[in-house]
Amino acid sequence: MPKSNAEEILYQITKELLFKDIGYQDLFAGYLKRLFSFLQTPTFYTCSNTQFQTTNENKIFEKTFAYINSQKRKVTRQDLEDALHYNGNYISRVFQQNTGQSLTVYTRNICLNESARLLLNTTMSTTEIIEKVGFKNKTAFYNQFKAKFGVTPDQYRHPDM
């Protein structure tokens, strides 16, 4: 069976490095240049669209991910069940498998990032923002915001305070 051009070049490179005969460094450099030239030949590479069959779980994950990111507020399992028409525990398990994060942690980060954006880009009060992103407990919001960003919401909005 004949070797491909790349295989032959790699064979020669390996042979030169193993035996180290006189002038092997020059031969090695030459073979290496040939290899790079071979690898740069555009006809060896093609670019085409490939559609892979996605599993039902991948579709559920993609829908869950899109839904959560579009809401920019706390999303409960019940919200997901109503929107996606799947069992909340199943959705949660699929999400955890794909992201390594629980739905709770992920949605909390979405809410906190959205609240940080609103603090910097709107004149909404902190209370309005807390309600908008779906937090029920103001103290919990402040604690989680400070844990994530290292400052309170007011300090985040006015860093010069």
Side-chain angles (χ1 to χ4, degrees), residues 5-6 10 18 23 25 33 38-39 56 60 70-72 76-77 81 85 89 95 106-107 122 125-126 140 143 152 155:
N5 201 9
L10 288 171
L18 282 174
Q25 292 161 325
K33 287 178 183 176
F38 176 79
L39 293 175
N56 194 37
I60 292 170
S70 71
Q71 296 301 303
K72 297 193 186 314
T76 65
R77 283 186 187 185
E81 282 183 12
H85 308 292
N89 292 332
F95 192 86
Y106 187 79
T107 57
T122 70
S125 71
T126 305
N143 290 338
T152 66
Q155 292 169 330

Side-chain angles (χ1 to χ4, degrees), residues 18 24 28-29 50 55 93 122 131 140:
L18 282 174
Y24 83 94
F28 170 76
T50 304
T55 65
R93 184 177 55 78
T122 70
E131 289 173 10

Side-chain angles (χ1 to χ4, degrees), residues 2 11 20 22 26-27 30 32 44 51 62 81 98 102 109 121 146:
Y11 171 78
K20 296 185 180 180
I22 295 173
D26 294 328
L27 290 171
L32 202 55
F44 295 125
Q51 179 114 14
E62 289 169 7
E81 282 183 12
N98 281 275
S102 69
N109 283 325
N121 298 311
K146 187 163 186 172

Side-chain angles (χ1 to χ4, degrees), residues 7-149:
E7 286 177 307
E8 182 60 35
I9 294 169
L10 288 171
Y11 171 78
Q12 292 299 330
I13 287 172
T14 305
K15 187 174 101 178
E16 293 302 328
L17 290 174
L18 282 174
F19 295 117
K20 296 185 180 180
D21 290 333
I22 295 173
Y24 83 94
Q25 292 161 325
D26 294 328
L27 290 171
F28 170 76
Y31 285 127
L32 202 55
K33 287 178 183 176
R34 280 188 192 170
L35 180 62
F36 288 142
S37 175
F38 176 79
L39 293 175
Q40 290 178 344
T41 307
T43 56
F44 295 125
Y45 305 99
T46 59
C47 183
S48 62
N49 291 331
T50 304
Q51 179 114 14
F52 294 100
Q53 291 288 9
T54 58
T55 65
N56 194 37
E57 287 187 355
N58 288 344
K59 289 177 185 176
I60 292 170
F61 169 72
E62 289 169 7
K63 287 179 181 180
T64 305
F65 189 78
Y67 181 79
I68 292 169
N69 287 308
S70 71
Q71 296 301 303
K72 297 193 186 314
R73 64 171 176 81
K74 277 205 172 216
V75 175
T76 65
R77 283 186 187 185
Q78 187 61 51
D79 293 335
L80 291 168
E81 282 183 12
D82 294 342
L84 305 176
H85 308 292
Y86 285 96
N87 178 281
N89 292 332
Y90 179 63
I91 294 170
S92 182
R93 184 177 55 78
V94 169
F95 192 86
Q96 174 92 32
Q97 286 173 342
N98 281 275
T99 64
Q101 286 185 317
S102 69
L103 279 169
T104 305
V105 169
Y106 187 79
T107 57
R108 180 180 356 159
N109 283 325
I110 292 291
C111 294
L112 292 172
N113 290 338
E114 178 65 6
S115 62
R117 187 189 71 76
L118 292 170
L119 284 166
L120 294 178
N121 298 311
T122 70
T123 58
M124 293 172 70
S125 71
T126 305
T127 303
E128 291 172 319
I129 291 171
I130 290 169
E131 289 173 10
K132 182 171 178 62
V133 298
F135 272 86
K136 303 286 186 244
N137 184 322
K138 190 174 184 178
T139 304
F141 172 80
Y142 271 82
N143 290 338
Q144 291 174 15
F145 191 93
K146 187 163 186 172
K148 180 169 177 69
F149 295 105

